[in-house]
Amino acid sequence: MQETRKGMLLVISGPSGTGKGTLVERLLQDDPSFEFSVSCTTRKCRTNEIPDVHYHFIDDEHYDKLLAEDAFLEHATVHGHRYGTLKSEVYEKMEQGKNVVLDIDPQGARTVMSKDPSCVSIFVLPPSYSELRKRLHTRNTEDEEEISKRLFNARGEVQQMHLYQYLLVNDELTVSMNLLKQIVQAEKLKSCRYFPIIGE
Ligand code: ADP
Ligand code: 5GP
């Protein structure tokens, strides 16, 4: 049997420290049909991050230039830093038939949902705010002030969860990963993006 598939745009949001990056990394490892949209950001590179793999780390001047060139599909200021999804990261990959995953905040997700209503959207929740605090401390990539800011902003982000098609409470990682795979499997079979050609 022959088949063609249209690429899926998968939007994942959730409070900082909830486990989005961990889930996305595993999805990319397990499913080669997915590619990550590497965002631009003006925040500093963490010691565990690789430039142009996790983010394109750029300065304000470069960011302003990209804004002026209308290079962003969406952009937002999050926790005091600027972040943007490049159109080129998304469209070029989708044209090659790839599924593309975006790890972006609810402001950016709203823009993407309105520009591409066929996108798949998932909001990842922590099991509790105390667990979220614990995960941010365990990750050990932000100082106390930055962690407090992210925990404060988490409440506002969680209020927007019903904008999303799917909600995933990331308690036990293996369970969450299986749920994510089930969402992806079902979405891949939707008739808007799956075109099997049945032989005689
Ligand atoms: P985000 O990308 O949402 O900011 P990360 O993926 O960086 O979050 O995860 C934050 C921390 O929580 C990391 O140290 C990660 O290993 C850990 N973590 C992720 N998922 C779980 C989980 N289900 N249970 C416990 N710890 C987790
Ligand atoms: P972090 O600094 O922890 O990597 O990310 C902070 C927040 O910025 C997270 O909510 C993440 O989803 C969001 N983010 C990362 N890249 C983008 C982007 O390109 N656009 C938007 N709107 N948010 C982003």
Side-chain angles (χ1 to χ4, degrees):
M1 189 195 65
Q2 285 184 308
E3 59 178 42
T4 55
R5 287 174 190 269
K6 191 168 173 277
M8 176 196 319
L9 188 56
L10 178 60
V11 177
I12 298 194
S13 301
S16 181
T18 207
K20 303 177 298 295
T22 307
L23 290 165
V24 166
E25 204 170 300
R26 290 190 180 205
L27 177 68
L28 292 166
Q29 275 166 9
D30 293 356
D31 186 339
S33 74
F34 273 93
E35 291 220 0
F36 183 57
S37 161
V38 181
S39 292
C40 293
T41 183
T42 59
R43 88 148 159 75
K44 291 220 160 51
C45 182
R46 296 172 184 148
T47 48
N48 64 332
E49 287 176 325
I50 305 164
D52 302 323
V53 171
H54 294 99
Y55 282 105
H56 301 299
F57 295 97
I58 60 175
D59 58 19
D60 276 305
E61 196 184 336
H62 190 175
Y63 191 97
D64 286 334
K65 186 168 173 282
L66 291 169
L67 264 183
E69 288 169 356
D70 194 26
F72 292 127
L73 173 62
E74 64 71 36
H75 59 91
T77 298
V78 192
H79 314 311
H81 307 285
R82 300 161 92 193
Y83 297 84
T85 303
L86 289 169
K87 288 177 186 171
S88 56
E89 283 282 331
V90 174
Y91 296 143
E92 282 168 22
K93 286 171 178 146
M94 287 190 79
E95 272 159 25
Q96 293 161 11
K98 289 282 183 182
N99 297 314
V100 178
V101 58
L102 309 183
D103 174 347
I104 59 175
D105 90 307
Q107 306 169 72
R110 271 204 305 270
T111 305
V112 175
M113 286 174 204
S114 68
K115 287 188 175 173
D116 182 358
S118 69
C119 73
V120 179
S121 57
I122 305 177
F123 191 89
V124 185
L125 290 145
S128 65
Y129 287 107
S130 56
E131 174 64 17
L132 185 63
R133 179 188 298 276
K134 206 165 106 191
R135 287 184 192 173
L136 281 168
H137 279 113
T138 308
R139 190 171 71 186
N140 199 24
T141 48
E142 275 82 27
D143 60 26
E144 269 312 314
E145 193 188 342
E146 186 71 28
I147 289 179
S148 300
K149 196 195 297 174
R150 284 168 184 248
L151 284 170
F152 178 83
N153 291 341
R155 310 255 169 182
E157 290 171 337
V158 166
Q159 279 175 6
Q160 300 176 66
M161 65 178 163
H162 283 107
L163 294 173
Y164 293 74
Q165 294 164 323
Y166 297 96
L167 300 179
L168 193 53
V169 178
N170 182 21
D171 193 349
E172 222 281 279
L173 189 55
T174 336
V175 175
S176 308
M177 206 47 228
N178 279 331
L179 290 172
L180 176 59
K181 281 186 189 165
Q182 285 174 40
I183 295 169
V184 161
Q185 278 314 113
E187 287 290 341
K188 279 186 180 178
L189 298 180
K190 279 219 173 133
S191 58
C192 60
R193 53 177 79 91
Y194 180 42
F195 307 94
I197 302 158
I198 308 302
E200 289 303 325

